[in-house]
Amino acid sequence: MLTKTQLIGKIYAAFTGVTLEDGIGLWEGLALDDRLEHTAAYKRLKSKDERLDWQKNPVIDLFICSSSISFHDAKGMRFNLGIYLLFALNIFEDEEDKLHEDKNFNLSLPEVTFALNHNLESDYSKNRFSLLNKKQIQCVIHFLEYHLKEQETYFNTYGAKKASKFNKKYIEQEEAIAFWKAQELLR
């Protein structure tokens, strides 16, 4: 299994140079979630999307547009997945802490692990992950394995009883890893 540092390096390497092209970005995804299609607000939000360098997306945008992870098309998912993975690995912790210093800050996190674990056999999921190459899929696998190991370590370190909810999520994550490993073989 990769260390966190190794995983971060692989994510940067696998997603460097990916552009959004005509895909659905963070802000357009928010507009879709708010059902603003065919409005001036939709066009305004879409125009805010970073299209050339996913690393330029500010952390605050990940919070504001947290629902966008459910609205990306294949190009949007390929473009944003790198930053989502890094975000879920807490590498932006200092920036997040500054945001949380504001007592009125109450935005949600993007559900990265959920997006990579659930409903993977659906046509929708197959389509939105269809442009990922082998290296990018390997990042997903390594991320999920790392996340699973982190959960195990937490429970073992703190002597917490593994509740049935944990066991169900553990099994779901193992199944997701198997799904992604099968996808890697197809690339």
Side-chain angles (χ1 to χ4, degrees), residues 29-183:
L30 178 65
L32 289 169
D33 186 29
D34 290 343
R35 296 182 175 94
L36 297 174
E37 297 95 335
H38 313 296
T39 68
Y42 182 89
K43 290 177 184 174
R44 182 180 53 78
L45 288 170
K46 182 178 177 175
S47 73
K48 292 175 68 170
D49 276 326
E50 172 61 42
R51 297 200 163 274
L52 300 177
D53 186 355
W54 56 269
Q55 296 178 56
K56 290 184 179 178
N57 279 317
V59 171
I60 185 71
D61 289 1
L62 296 176
F63 281 98
I64 294 169
C65 304
S66 64
S67 64
S68 295
I69 196 166
S70 298
F71 292 90
H72 292 308
D73 59 358
K75 290 178 182 178
M77 184 55 75
R78 180 184 59 192
F79 180 74
N80 288 295
L81 188 55
I83 199 161
Y84 284 138
L85 293 173
L86 295 171
F87 180 81
L89 288 168
N90 295 319
I91 74 156
F92 305 114
E93 194 169 17
D94 291 342
E95 293 170 70
E96 288 181 65
D97 287 346
K98 286 180 185 172
L99 292 172
H100 290 291
E101 286 174 6
D102 178 356
K103 301 285 186 221
N104 296 319
F105 185 82
N106 62 354
L107 298 171
S108 300
L109 301 167
E111 296 285 340
V112 179
T113 306
F114 181 84
L116 298 173
N117 278 349
H118 290 85
N119 207 21
L120 296 172
E121 294 290 345
S122 71
D123 289 340
Y124 169 71
S125 286
K126 286 180 183 177
N127 181 53
R128 73 183 184 145
F129 294 116
S130 65
L131 295 179
L132 298 180
N133 64 33
K134 189 172 189 150
K135 286 184 179 182
Q136 293 161 344
I137 290 173
Q138 288 170 347
C139 286
V140 170
I141 295 165
H142 293 308
F143 168 80
L144 292 173
E145 289 173 339
Y146 180 84
H147 185 262
L148 197 61
K149 185 65 176 169
E150 240 184 2
Q151 289 177 336
E152 287 176 348
T153 301
Y154 174 82
F155 277 93
N156 291 335
T157 300
Y158 295 101
K161 182 180 173 187
K162 292 181 181 175
S164 61
K165 182 178 179 183
F166 171 80
N167 291 331
K168 181 180 177 195
K169 287 185 176 192
Y170 187 91
I171 292 167
E172 287 173 352
Q173 191 136 349
E174 284 183 320
E175 290 171 353
I177 292 167
F179 171 86
W180 284 106
K181 285 182 176 181
Q183 294 304 304

